[in-house]
Amino acid sequence: TKDTSQQDTLKESNTIGMKAVSNGEVAALLLAGGQGTRLGYNGPKGMYDIGLPSKSTLFQYMSERIKKLGELSGKGAKAVPFYIMTSPLNHKATTEYFEKNDNFGIDAHFFPQGTLPALTSPDGKMILETQTSLAVAPDGNGGIYPALVKHGILNDMKKRGIKYIHAFGVDNALVKPADPTFVGYCIKKDADCGNKVLWKTSPDEKVGVVATK
């Protein structure tokens, strides 16, 4: 039946993904440059308490899932390296938080994204921070590409033999970091990239969308 086929596909994908994890070929990559300002929290979004019974922050929650995945792979808690892109706004607070918690027992690496001049909207004029300097702001999620090169992260991945990278945003409380079933399915399909999404609850739900031209 269709359901049986789906279950077989999921099982096979998970097996492939777990093998890649145990071979040290999978990394998790977190985009965590944002501040929790809109949440009423003056600090990195990843340190915000989202109301879990455990009181775990997003950083802790994601790290513990990565740790568990490594243990399930048979290669230990540090089997999946966790690369975390911060911003100049929160790099110090983020690294100090992880250091205070002994990186939650995983292999964590931090690197800041770049900045760009801040502009007014809608006329696009540059904003001055002082009379002699421009105001700058983090350069967005797209800043991850130059940052990976600038801070030697790509080279580190190559040295480790990383073949597959699961990238996700710090806002995603439902994420399964380095999800072996998803990674395995992409490997099985020989996909250059993959994207996992949820259906919107309603057409007007204020979340991002995935679309094609």
Side-chain angles (χ1 to χ4, degrees), residues 97-188:
Y97 175 70
F98 271 83
E99 184 178 354
K100 178 182 177 182
N101 290 280
D102 196 26
N103 287 348
F104 298 103
I106 63 170
D107 185 16
H109 305 266
F110 310 89
F111 63 103
Q113 65 189 109
T115 58
L116 289 172
L119 305 176
T120 60
S121 178
D123 49 356
K125 293 182 179 179
M126 292 186 177
I127 301 172
L128 291 176
E129 183 170 341
T130 68
Q131 290 185 340
T132 58
S133 64
L134 291 173
V136 296
D139 56 6
N141 287 347
I144 195 167
Y145 300 109
L148 285 170
V149 175
K150 179 180 178 181
H151 299 287
I153 303 301
L154 280 183
N155 283 336
D156 185 69
M157 290 178 175
K158 289 178 182 177
K159 290 178 182 177
R160 292 168 177 264
I162 299 296
K163 295 181 179 179
Y164 313 106
I165 303 166
H166 183 203
F168 49 94
V170 72
D171 309 84
N172 189 355
L174 297 178
V175 71
K176 295 180 179 179
D179 177 8
T181 303
F182 177 56
V183 172
Y185 186 78
C186 291
I187 296 172
K188 172 183 167 64

Side-chain angles (χ1 to χ4, degrees), residues 13 34 38 41 44 82 85 89 96 98 108 119 128 131 180 207 209:
S13 297
R38 283 183 294 177
Y41 175 69
F82 193 18
M85 184 179 78
L89 296 175
E96 287 180 348
F98 271 83
L119 305 176
L128 291 176
Q131 290 185 340
V207 295
V209 298

Side-chain angles (χ1 to χ4, degrees), residues 58-124:
L58 287 166
F59 281 149
Q60 180 178 353
Y61 173 71
M62 294 171 179
S63 297
E64 288 176 347
R65 299 201 80 162
I66 289 172
K67 180 179 180 180
K68 186 64 175 180
L69 174 60
E71 292 171 346
L72 290 173
S73 76
K75 296 298 182 178
K78 298 184 178 182
V80 178
F82 193 18
Y83 297 96
I84 301 170
M85 184 179 78
T86 63
S87 73
L89 296 175
N90 67 19
H91 183 78
K92 186 173 185 290
T94 299
T95 55
E96 287 180 348
Y97 175 70
F98 271 83
E99 184 178 354
K100 178 182 177 182
N101 290 280
D102 196 26
N103 287 348
F104 298 103
I106 63 170
D107 185 16
H109 305 266
F110 310 89
F111 63 103
Q113 65 189 109
T115 58
L116 289 172
L119 305 176
T120 60
S121 178
D123 49 356

Side-chain angles (χ1 to χ4, degrees), residues 196-209:
K196 180 164 53 170
V197 298
L198 295 174
W199 289 103
K200 295 177 70 170
T201 57
S202 62
D204 59 352
E205 184 183 8
K206 295 184 183 301
V207 295
V209 298

